[in-house]
Amino acid sequence: MVLYDSSALSAGSGGGSGNSSSSSSKHPQTDIDGLLAGAGYKVRSSELTQVAQRLERLDTAMVNSPADFTQLASDTVHYNPSDLASWVDSLLSEFTHTSALPADGPGFLIDPGVNQTVPNSSWNDQSAPQIRRNVCFEQNQNHQVTVVTAMEEDSGIRLVHLMMTCAESVQRGDLGMATSFIEDMQGLLMRVNTVCGIGKVAGHFIEALSRRIFQVVGHISGSSAYENEILYHHFYEACPYLKFAHFTANQAILEAFDGHDCVHVVDFNLMHGLQWPALIQALALRPGGPPFLRLTGIGPPSPDGRDCLREIGLRLAELARSVNVRFAFRGVAAARLEDVKPWMLEVSANEAVAVNSIMQLHRLLGSDSTRNSPIETVLGWIRELNPKIMTVVEQEANHNQPAFLDRFTEALYYYSTMFDSLEACPLQPAKALAEIYIQREICNVVSCEGPALVERHEPLAKWRTRLAGAGFRPLHLGSNAFKQASMLLTLFSAEGYCVEENEGCLTLGWHSRPLIAASAWQAAPDGASEVGLINGGGNINNNDAL
Amino acid sequence: MVVPLNTYVLISNFKLVYNLLRRPDGTFNRHLAEYLDRKVPANANPVDGVFSFDIIIDCSTGLLSRIYRPASADEPQPNITELMKPVTSDVVPIIIFFHGGSFAHSSANSAIYDILCRRLVGFCKAVVVSVNYRRAPENRYPCAYDDGWAALKWVNSRSWLQSKDKKVHIYLAGDSSGGNIAHHVAMRAAESGIEVLGNILLNPMFGGQERTESEKQFDGKYFVTVQDRDWYWRAFLPEGEDRDHPACNPFGPKGKSLDGIKFPKSLVVVAGLDLTQDWQLMYVEGLKKAGQEVKLLYQEQATVGFYFLPNNNHFHTVMDEITQFVSSNHE
């Protein structure tokens, strides 16, 4: 791709060769594009992009409703065609009034007449171009804007380019430029289908970028636990990721508990306890009878005097009683996982312990140089507990990179894929709220930094290293788990999801891109792990954690 | 592939305007067209070494042309009586230029063509005669060709345009429909024995009944649609004729053979993103097969109208080639 550099767009008199037009070669307004002036049009260089966008908009409108356009031709009064920006604007506003074209405005307006639908466009879908002639605005090194017209690019990919460029400006600290990109993108969004496809994802990312740029601190970071739980529940319903996580973890826990009469599950994030009815029932049906099951559910403190954890516990106890499983529940309220101390869990010596972390460990990866990193602390006491099994489910993404642009790029790819997969799911009320759940993740990844940034997803490969270094060894999730997970997918019957086995771990993804990874671990025997001793000391047992 | 932003704005604007002007019933909003067209007057005062003036070539048809001449260093302000002073160099190429506009749009005094002609004078050290031929749909085939032919005869008979050898060194040039006109005027010249030294065809407008690959591939992608091309041919060709009419398709089934004809050498510039390129390439092939001298300049990443603004490599490449083309006969 060849980009032309800024000197090609020089304002001032004439062009490079000095053969300027017959009009005066001096332009008092230095911002006027000299070459266009020679052709009889006065346009400010700074307005070129806008004029181009509006021309394109009119063109699209014309394609979509040619009858209205012919009307426009005969009815409009054309003032000063040399003032191209104004002329185009006047046409646009005429057209807006005479047809279904929505006027410029904030928000995502969807006009089926104007927007070309991009059905089910995944990131890599380069098939039929959706809009016939497309424009992408790019910046080269000299911060000059050039226009790229490419045959196969559609509006979605243009949006992507713009987003990347905006993120790059943000990384550079050029918030002024980033802001103008936000405006461009919001304009583009008007002409893109934001109901599905890249337009929808773009909307969320642009929102997140805006928040970052304008330092909006709002309901997203300060959302209530209650809201979170509702959204989580809908995310659970709408698509298979959490179901897969629960299913796979439960299968592994079940196998680990084989032969034990006293078992204790520690759930790092109870939510509505959606994972546990299935386990309770599976234990009830165990040959030889169910064990005594204790469940310790960790969750945020409840507001206004309620004890939400206990309420969930009571419901689970009801269920357990109905299937004759001896059951005890304990809730541990903690604002952050790192605030949990092992003594709070009251693990007894004769229990087989299962530690269950569904998308929680990554939240511990924010480090504060003044103290032990929370992840090491927590992994340390988990290992101390010597659980029969630790089930870990994490987003399969690399969102914990220090450079913002890298994180942004990765997130864009990841969440695009996730949104695509969501689209394949049957239309249900749950989808809308599931989307908001995902949107909040996006917002955190993109607009937050430091302690506020909790969605620090890391890929399986990194977790393997980390966990091995913390004294854990992997337990292979058996072929049983794989079969059951695949069956779950068939039941769910959405084409495109795929379960893969990855060195004893299972991943669920969309069309060969894994999005979530489930793994199981056990404390490695002392002396067996030499890699990455905690805090560099020779003592694996980290007494500091207690 | 990149189109500079200002070029994009320029050509998109034309596209938009042209869409406003063409009516589905084949008529043309000439009044609005003339209003929207950015025009510039001739200027007998040299600007960047070029001055221009308008003259009537044929009173019966009202055929105007704008003549561009290089100002001589020692006479910065030509006298009104000296506009048609004889050319002073030993050899001066006289380029008869036919502006584009798909036979319906633009004029010799359109700003974009005024600057283009001035640039040609500068590069080629030539006199450029830009012909304000009659346009479609009000004036169909063969009016544009008749006007071109009239201009050629007029130029050929001007003593003040003669080079030292007492001959007028004529080149025909044009873009889009102008390129098409140049070809047909050259044909007439060849049949009548007037010598044309070379044809310069910039994105010449040719077509045919068949739909070619490039038409399908690029339809609507780079400012031009097959639909608008069809409209312009319907507006120019005689009523009831299809696109295999020899005006549109000179090497098509109804075309005339050029074998053995003393046709000028041709320089044909084809933009790689132009949907009519297959027709242009077939034109080049047709010339070659007829044993005529032709050079093809294929600019892969160029769109239509790349030559309007000097902000891209294609522009400079093509200008250099044109300069060489009109000087290669002279050592």
PDB file of all heavy atoms in Angstrom, chain A residues 26 64 94 146 168 170 217 222 294 388 433 444 488:
ATOM      1  N   LYS A  26      -1.284  33.527  -5.367  1.00  0.00           N
ATOM      2  CA  LYS A  26      -1.128  33.738  -3.936  1.00  0.00           C
ATOM      3  C   LYS A  26      -2.467  33.499  -3.260  1.00  0.00           C
ATOM      4  O   LYS A  26      -3.501  33.955  -3.721  1.00  0.00           O
ATOM      5  CB  LYS A  26      -0.720  35.201  -3.664  1.00  0.00           C
ATOM      6  CG  LYS A  26       0.723  35.498  -3.954  1.00  0.00           C
ATOM      7  CD  LYS A  26       1.201  36.648  -3.046  1.00  0.00           C
ATOM      8  CE  LYS A  26       2.508  37.227  -3.583  1.00  0.00           C
ATOM      9  NZ  LYS A  26       2.284  38.194  -4.668  1.00  0.00           N
ATOM     10  N   ASN A  64     -28.953   4.481  -2.934  1.00  0.00           N
ATOM     11  CA  ASN A  64     -30.079   3.844  -2.265  1.00  0.00           C
ATOM     12  C   ASN A  64     -31.436   4.408  -2.661  1.00  0.00           C
ATOM     13  O   ASN A  64     -32.427   3.695  -2.658  1.00  0.00           O
ATOM     14  CB  ASN A  64     -29.901   3.964  -0.745  1.00  0.00           C
ATOM     15  CG  ASN A  64     -28.839   3.011  -0.259  1.00  0.00           C
ATOM     16  OD1 ASN A  64     -28.807   1.860  -0.645  1.00  0.00           O
ATOM     17  ND2 ASN A  64     -27.945   3.500   0.574  1.00  0.00           N
ATOM     18  N   GLU A  94     -30.648  19.164   2.312  1.00  0.00           N
ATOM     19  CA  GLU A  94     -31.822  19.031   1.440  1.00  0.00           C
ATOM     20  C   GLU A  94     -32.267  17.593   1.397  1.00  0.00           C
ATOM     21  O   GLU A  94     -33.431  17.266   1.511  1.00  0.00           O
ATOM     22  CB  GLU A  94     -31.450  19.423  -0.008  1.00  0.00           C
ATOM     23  CG  GLU A  94     -31.628  20.852  -0.379  1.00  0.00           C
ATOM     24  CD  GLU A  94     -33.053  21.318  -0.381  1.00  0.00           C
ATOM     25  OE1 GLU A  94     -33.935  20.581  -0.861  1.00  0.00           O
ATOM     26  OE2 GLU A  94     -33.287  22.425   0.112  1.00  0.00           O
ATOM     27  N   THR A 146      -4.312  10.785   4.327  1.00  0.00           N
ATOM     28  CA  THR A 146      -4.536  10.451   2.916  1.00  0.00           C
ATOM     29  C   THR A 146      -5.727   9.511   2.837  1.00  0.00           C
ATOM     30  O   THR A 146      -6.156   8.954   3.819  1.00  0.00           O
ATOM     31  CB  THR A 146      -3.318   9.746   2.287  1.00  0.00           C
ATOM     32  OG1 THR A 146      -3.035   8.598   3.062  1.00  0.00           O
ATOM     33  CG2 THR A 146      -2.124  10.652   2.240  1.00  0.00           C
ATOM     34  N   GLU A 168      -3.535   4.243  18.597  1.00  0.00           N
ATOM     35  CA  GLU A 168      -2.115   4.582  18.493  1.00  0.00           C
ATOM     36  C   GLU A 168      -1.873   6.016  18.955  1.00  0.00           C
ATOM     37  O   GLU A 168      -0.874   6.311  19.622  1.00  0.00           O
ATOM     38  CB  GLU A 168      -1.680   4.355  17.040  1.00  0.00           C
ATOM     39  CG  GLU A 168      -0.194   4.264  16.807  1.00  0.00           C
ATOM     40  CD  GLU A 168       0.416   5.601  16.431  1.00  0.00           C
ATOM     41  OE1 GLU A 168      -0.277   6.429  15.817  1.00  0.00           O
ATOM     42  OE2 GLU A 168       1.588   5.803  16.785  1.00  0.00           O
ATOM     43  N   VAL A 170      -3.668   7.546  21.120  1.00  0.00           N
ATOM     44  CA  VAL A 170      -3.830   7.517  22.569  1.00  0.00           C
ATOM     45  C   VAL A 170      -2.537   7.053  23.214  1.00  0.00           C
ATOM     46  O   VAL A 170      -2.079   7.636  24.200  1.00  0.00           O
ATOM     47  CB  VAL A 170      -4.998   6.581  22.973  1.00  0.00           C
ATOM     48  CG1 VAL A 170      -4.992   6.328  24.463  1.00  0.00           C
ATOM     49  CG2 VAL A 170      -6.324   7.192  22.544  1.00  0.00           C
ATOM     50  N   VAL A 217     -15.347   8.689  34.342  1.00  0.00           N
ATOM     51  CA  VAL A 217     -15.475   7.703  35.407  1.00  0.00           C
ATOM     52  C   VAL A 217     -16.952   7.563  35.647  1.00  0.00           C
ATOM     53  O   VAL A 217     -17.621   8.511  36.021  1.00  0.00           O
ATOM     54  CB  VAL A 217     -14.786   8.190  36.703  1.00  0.00           C
ATOM     55  CG1 VAL A 217     -14.977   7.171  37.813  1.00  0.00           C
ATOM     56  CG2 VAL A 217     -13.309   8.400  36.428  1.00  0.00           C
ATOM     57  N   GLY A 222     -18.019   1.692  38.411  1.00  0.00           N
ATOM     58  CA  GLY A 222     -18.604   1.672  39.754  1.00  0.00           C
ATOM     59  C   GLY A 222     -19.922   0.926  39.800  1.00  0.00           C
ATOM     60  O   GLY A 222     -20.809   1.241  40.578  1.00  0.00           O
ATOM     61  N   ARG A 294     -19.312 -29.633  51.246  1.00  0.00           N
ATOM     62  CA  ARG A 294     -19.289 -28.263  51.754  1.00  0.00           C
ATOM     63  C   ARG A 294     -18.967 -27.332  50.608  1.00  0.00           C
ATOM     64  O   ARG A 294     -18.122 -27.642  49.764  1.00  0.00           O
ATOM     65  CB  ARG A 294     -18.213 -28.127  52.840  1.00  0.00           C
ATOM     66  CG  ARG A 294     -18.638 -28.694  54.185  1.00  0.00           C
ATOM     67  CD  ARG A 294     -17.578 -28.457  55.218  1.00  0.00           C
ATOM     68  NE  ARG A 294     -17.286 -27.045  55.359  1.00  0.00           N
ATOM     69  CZ  ARG A 294     -16.130 -26.550  55.776  1.00  0.00           C
ATOM     70  NH1 ARG A 294     -15.148 -27.362  56.096  1.00  0.00           N
ATOM     71  NH2 ARG A 294     -15.943 -25.250  55.892  1.00  0.00           N
ATOM     72  N   LYS A 388      -7.210 -31.104  46.221  1.00  0.00           N
ATOM     73  CA  LYS A 388      -7.225 -32.253  45.324  1.00  0.00           C
ATOM     74  C   LYS A 388      -7.174 -31.772  43.882  1.00  0.00           C
ATOM     75  O   LYS A 388      -6.625 -32.416  42.992  1.00  0.00           O
ATOM     76  CB  LYS A 388      -8.522 -33.058  45.536  1.00  0.00           C
ATOM     77  CG  LYS A 388      -8.351 -34.187  46.497  1.00  0.00           C
ATOM     78  CD  LYS A 388      -7.992 -35.471  45.747  1.00  0.00           C
ATOM     79  CE  LYS A 388      -7.284 -36.495  46.608  1.00  0.00           C
ATOM     80  NZ  LYS A 388      -5.932 -36.095  46.985  1.00  0.00           N
ATOM     81  N   LEU A 433     -28.512  -8.296  27.231  1.00  0.00           N
ATOM     82  CA  LEU A 433     -27.802  -8.061  28.488  1.00  0.00           C
ATOM     83  C   LEU A 433     -26.442  -8.751  28.474  1.00  0.00           C
ATOM     84  O   LEU A 433     -25.484  -8.275  29.080  1.00  0.00           O
ATOM     85  CB  LEU A 433     -28.647  -8.528  29.673  1.00  0.00           C
ATOM     86  CG  LEU A 433     -29.861  -7.632  29.939  1.00  0.00           C
ATOM     87  CD1 LEU A 433     -30.696  -8.167  31.099  1.00  0.00           C
ATOM     88  CD2 LEU A 433     -29.422  -6.209  30.256  1.00  0.00           C
ATOM     89  N   ASN A 444     -13.436  -2.020  30.505  1.00  0.00           N
ATOM     90  CA  ASN A 444     -12.376  -2.115  31.493  1.00  0.00           C
ATOM     91  C   ASN A 444     -11.029  -2.309  30.821  1.00  0.00           C
ATOM     92  O   ASN A 444     -10.046  -1.633  31.161  1.00  0.00           O
ATOM     93  CB  ASN A 444     -12.666  -3.259  32.467  1.00  0.00           C
ATOM     94  CG  ASN A 444     -11.729  -3.239  33.652  1.00  0.00           C
ATOM     95  OD1 ASN A 444     -10.646  -3.827  33.607  1.00  0.00           O
ATOM     96  ND2 ASN A 444     -12.108  -2.533  34.704  1.00  0.00           N
ATOM     97  N   LEU A 488     -22.156 -31.007  24.761  1.00  0.00           N
ATOM     98  CA  LEU A 488     -22.805 -29.768  25.187  1.00  0.00           C
ATOM     99  C   LEU A 488     -22.989 -28.843  23.989  1.00  0.00           C
ATOM    100  O   LEU A 488     -24.043 -28.252  23.777  1.00  0.00           O
ATOM    101  CB  LEU A 488     -21.940 -29.070  26.243  1.00  0.00           C
ATOM    102  CG  LEU A 488     -22.261 -27.601  26.510  1.00  0.00           C
ATOM    103  CD1 LEU A 488     -23.556 -27.464  27.273  1.00  0.00           C
ATOM    104  CD2 LEU A 488     -21.139 -26.925  27.292  1.00  0.00           C
TER     105      LEU A 488
END
